[in-house]
Amino acid sequence: MQRYFLNDKPDNDERVTITEEDFYHLARVMRAKEGDRIAVVFPDGRSAEAEIKEVSADCALAFIVEWLHDEKELPVAVTIASGLPKGDKLELVIQKGTELGASKFVPFHADRSIVKWDEKKAAKKTERWAKIAKEAAEQSQRNRVPEVNVPVNFQELIRIGEQYPFKLYAFEEESKKGEKTAFHHLLSEMKPGDELLIVFGPEGGISEKEAEKLKSSGFVPCGLGPRILRTETAPLYALSAISYHFELMR
């Protein structure tokens, strides 16, 4: 069933209304009709199977027929902080990172970020990222859409890190030294419900200055194996490893 994330709770009679872009997709792309069934997800993460009762010119009405118990979220909440990369690499991280279970994305201006952030286009760009996350969450049948922040500066990233009990930064120099245990050790300390922030640099990685500041602020440096990963590959590697550790090993 096609899945839609709704902004409102169901009515007392368990009626839901599909509007705006979701309605366009439902009516024009999926060509849904009365009697078809869809999956709907509410802001609190609950999901249900609903049957369409009416498709009008600008909305569709459906009634819940069965509440679903299909938890699809990672047992731990993972925030991916990415130094702003070139081109559409961040879009790839958001799309695939959503499929792999990330709960939040925080782009940041890094020392080695080449791309120049245009404040005039900030709202439109962030809206596009949010749409990518929503569509990826629907495709992967998740119960929540990850939050996507507007880009922050490095000092704001450090401040955000104060909210997290577990925090890492992937550092190329640690990999070169053969560091292999920090990532595994931290995951072994975590339990379901914990929150983790992982920082990744842009092309060229995290600078020595940034690494020193992160370490002094409680972030743990880690390597991600003997190979040097691209800025768009490293977050996906980390999320895959986290999924394996918490979902497949147990």
Side-chain angles (χ1 to χ4, degrees):
M1 289 182 294
Q2 180 64 38
R3 177 166 293 218
Y4 295 98
F5 288 88
L6 306 183
N7 295 322
D8 300 311
K9 297 179 181 180
D11 295 341
N12 292 333
D13 57 0
E14 298 197 326
R15 180 182 65 177
V16 296
T17 305
I18 314 295
T19 60
E20 300 179 345
E21 289 188 5
D22 286 335
F23 168 71
Y24 178 86
H25 184 271
L26 180 78
R28 303 291 184 265
V29 179
M30 301 303 294
R31 298 187 179 278
K33 57 187 182 300
E34 183 179 334
D36 288 349
R37 293 196 175 188
I38 57 174
V40 291
V41 186
F42 300 99
D44 59 5
R46 293 186 303 158
S47 60
E49 182 178 338
E51 182 175 316
I52 297 173
K53 293 298 183 183
E54 180 184 345
V55 179
S56 64
D58 58 359
C59 70
L61 298 179
F63 286 85
I64 293 173
V65 294
E66 180 183 2
W67 286 96
L68 304 175
H69 303 283
D70 56 348
E71 182 58 50
K72 303 292 179 64
E73 300 303 301
L74 276 176
V76 295
V78 183
T79 295
I80 300 295
S82 295
L84 282 171
K86 296 184 295 183
D88 59 359
K89 294 177 182 178
L90 186 57
E91 294 184 2
L92 176 68
V93 171
I94 292 172
Q95 182 189 60
K96 302 307 179 186
T98 296
E99 293 178 24
L100 289 167
S103 62
K104 188 174 183 179
F105 297 94
V106 181
F108 70 96
H109 301 276
D111 287 345
R112 293 173 177 165
S113 288
I114 298 174
V115 64
K116 300 300 181 183
W117 180 252
D118 188 343
E119 293 294 343
K120 295 180 180 179
K121 299 179 180 178
K124 186 175 182 180
K125 192 73 172 180
T126 306
E127 182 180 339
R128 173 170 171 76
W129 290 338
K131 183 178 180 180
I132 289 171
K134 179 176 180 291
E135 291 175 350
E138 290 171 345
Q139 182 275 324
S140 54
Q141 301 287 293
R142 288 188 55 175
N143 295 85
R144 295 186 182 278
V145 177
E147 179 183 349
V148 184
N149 269 32
V150 296
V152 299
N153 60 38
F154 188 72
Q155 280 304 120
E156 179 64 13
L157 175 65
I158 295 295
R159 190 196 67 76
I160 290 172
E162 296 173 357
Q163 307 168 26
Y164 289 80
F166 298 94
K167 44 197 175 185
L168 291 166
Y169 64 98
F171 194 36
E172 182 177 319
E173 296 306 314
E174 292 297 310
S175 294
K176 290 179 179 178
K177 294 176 185 176
E179 195 287 311
K180 299 178 180 179
T181 62
F183 189 26
H184 171 74
H185 179 70
L186 184 139
L187 293 184
S188 297
E189 290 184 341
M190 295 180 69
K191 59 183 184 298
D194 282 338
E195 298 182 347
L196 169 65
L197 170 62
I198 315 181
V199 179
F200 300 90
E203 298 88 351
I206 292 171
S207 69
E208 290 285 351
K209 179 182 176 182
E210 290 169 329
E212 291 176 5
K213 181 61 177 178
L214 287 166
K215 192 169 185 178
S216 66
S217 300
F219 288 77
V220 177
C222 71
L224 296 178
R227 291 165 295 281
I228 303 304
L229 305 178
R230 290 178 179 270
T231 182
E232 69 271 30
T233 307
L236 308 183
Y237 173 96
L239 285 164
S240 297
I242 292 168
S243 173
Y244 178 78
H245 180 86
F246 285 101
E247 297 179 314
L248 299 185
M249 285 183 65
R250 303 187 177 191

